[in-house]
Amino acid sequence: MAPLLNINGLCKSFGGVIATDDVNLDVQKGEIHAIIGPNGAGKTTLIAQLSGALRPDAGTVTLNGSDITHKPAYARAKLGITRSFQITSLVMGMTVIDNVALAVQANDGHSFKFIKPARKIHRIRDKAMKSLEKVGLNTRANDLVSALSHGEHRQMEIAVALASEAELMLLDEPMAGLGAAESAKLVDFLTGLKGQRTILLIEHDMDAVFALADRISVLVYGRIIATGLPSEIRANKAVRHAYLGEE
Amino acid sequence: MNNLTKVGWVTVMGMIALAILPPYFLLTGQAFYMDLATRLVILGIAAVSLNLILGFGGMVSFGHAAFIGLGAYAVGIPSYHATWGGFDLIASYNGLLHLVLALGVSALFALITGAISLRTKGVYFIMITMAFGQMAFFLFQSLDVYNGDDGLTIDVRSELPFINLDSPMQLYGLSYISLVIAMLLVKTIVNSRFGMVLQGAKGNNERMVTLGYNTYLYRLAAYVISGVMCGYAGFLLGNFTTFISPDMMHWTRSGELMFMVILGGAATAFGPVLGSSVFILVEEILSSFTIFWHLPFGLMLIGVVLFIRGGLMGLFKGKGK
């Protein structure tokens, strides 16, 4: 089966720092593929190149068989890639439901529509509300985003990613800053998405990674040193040495 | 009426006052106040147009007065040639031609300058829009045919069907109705899907791009709409003052427009109108006391910005928004 996402020979450096060094990676449809690696390994840089925020120096990114390497970020979103941000990135001055509705609206044709009040389009509002219900934020729908807690912001990032209906979700440390109980809830939630969405997950929380991932790739100094099933990664000597710091 | 908020009340009362008071002054022989009101209503339209991109779009344009000037010269130049000959293509007193010119030239200027300016952001956007405004200023300053710096007197106002712009009452009526329409237009746009994208891009552009919005195009569209509305205000202002000069486009004028929006309350429906009203009234009152009126005026403006969040409309915002 052809992979949903194919990354081939991707390179990116900032001055003398090589952030992405000949990365090759396939993500299969429906899997949760985790990328782990120590701080500064280039995980977020990799995500940025997949979402289109950064352009690679060399290599190709292919989604569903079509080359998207040089597509701008907004065009990639249209083709079915969405990302969540490690540092919460929402429209703070808007309400929760308005934020999520914008994600739904993005897939509802163009938005050069000037007359009809956006908040009265039930097709969009209902879908947004459903995404909020899924992450349990429906009771806060009409609050300003800026009034929500950090944990709720993390939930919102997921709700927005869900609402965008993207086939491929790039989740950049969704558990960052969450307590143990909240993390466990999120793991349950993402487990429930298995098979419906394809997820490329970057995460530091190893319990979450090994609970969720179908496959794991290990990124060290911009290079992928191993890819395999969780059990294989756990047993891999090079990984243990480079990442888990064991002899 | 119970569902009207405090802000809603202020808006309605303010607009009623603007509908009743100036005609009353005119009928009781105090034409001066009618003049003042016409000016503030026309500048109100310009401020409302600026508020669309500044307040709701987060685009701090420092060259908006250029559109006022373009709209005014779209009246002055054809009228000038109709009187003195030359430039047969546009020489005319026909108000509809003036209007089409004002809106068309403003749209074109907005499209070209916006397409370039919107490639930048933050302080660079402020500087580049100001530079484009100054380009328009210097262009008209250098046009000796139209008296350059000294300005141009409009001998004959735009001739429109049904409306006689030589009548102060009718000119005020047209300006007032135009203001109401401009406010409703901005309100409708802001609440539409387009408006949501515009406000989303103001709050978090990266997020909007990630969601699949080409925010550049949405911003450019808003910039053009705003420019056209402001050009229309210029069309009215030219007909009102019957004297136009490059000074109308000077960057300090753009600054004043910006200040009206911020003084009254950016991203509110009535804020820009309240801002232009207070701005012009206070300027008028202070300058009648002293020729050094700029000093207390400046201090007052600084005070409002420092101590009242959200401009004067912020004073009326209760807990329930």
Side-chain angles (χ1 to χ4, degrees), chain B residues 138-150:
Chain B
F138 285 118
L139 172 70
F140 281 90
Q141 202 184 37
S142 69
L143 290 177
D144 287 335
V145 219
Y146 309 119
N147 296 342
D149 233 358
D150 296 332

Side-chain angles (χ1 to χ4, degrees), chain B residues 250-263:
Chain B
H250 197 252
W251 67 269
T252 51
R253 300 280 162 189
S254 298
E256 284 175 15
L257 274 185
M258 214 151 98
F259 213 97
M260 289 174 191
V261 174
I262 294 164
L263 175 72

Side-chain angles (χ1 to χ4, degrees), chain A residues 77 89 102 105-106 111 118 157, chain B residues 191 193 204 207 210 213-214 218:
Chain A
S89 177
L102 274 171
Q105 190 185 316
S111 290
E157 284 274 345
Chain B
N191 286 319
R193 275 167 279 186
N204 191 335
R207 160 61 77 186
T210 307
Y213 295 106
N214 184 356
Y218 288 92

Side-chain angles (χ1 to χ4, degrees), chain A residues 165-181:
Chain A
E165 288 187 353
E167 198 170 3
L168 175 63
M169 292 165 62
L170 311 171
L171 302 184
D172 195 355
E173 297 203 25
M175 324 278 173
L178 292 186

Side-chain angles (χ1 to χ4, degrees), chain B residues 122-193:
Chain B
V123 76
Y124 301 101
F125 180 80
I126 300 176
M127 296 312 287
I128 199 166
T129 49
M130 180 174 147
F132 278 125
Q134 285 300 87
M135 271 170 62
F137 168 77
F138 285 118
L139 172 70
F140 281 90
Q141 202 184 37
S142 69
L143 290 177
D144 287 335
V145 219
Y146 309 119
N147 296 342
D149 233 358
D150 296 332
L152 189 63
T153 304
I154 300 176
D155 295 318
V156 182
R157 288 192 167 96
S158 302
E159 287 169 356
L160 286 169
F162 312 116
I163 300 172
N164 177 11
L165 296 183
D166 288 326
S167 148
M169 188 68 96
Q170 293 191 28
L171 178 61
Y172 183 75
L174 178 65
S175 305
Y176 178 81
I177 291 167
S178 302
L179 174 63
V180 173
I181 292 174
M183 288 168 69
L184 291 176
L185 205 64
V186 167
K187 197 177 166 70
T188 306
I189 290 175
V190 163
N191 286 319
S192 72
R193 275 167 279 186

Side-chain angles (χ1 to χ4, degrees), chain B residues 26 37 77 98 292 296:
Chain B
L26 186 71
I77 291 175
H98 297 175
F292 303 110

Side-chain angles (χ1 to χ4, degrees), chain B residues 23 28 57 92 104 108 130 133 204 217 240 267 288 301 317 319:
Chain B
T28 53
S92 166
L108 196 66
M130 180 174 147
N204 191 335
L217 284 183
F240 167 62
S288 68
L301 296 183
K317 268 198 181 148
K319 278 174 260 163

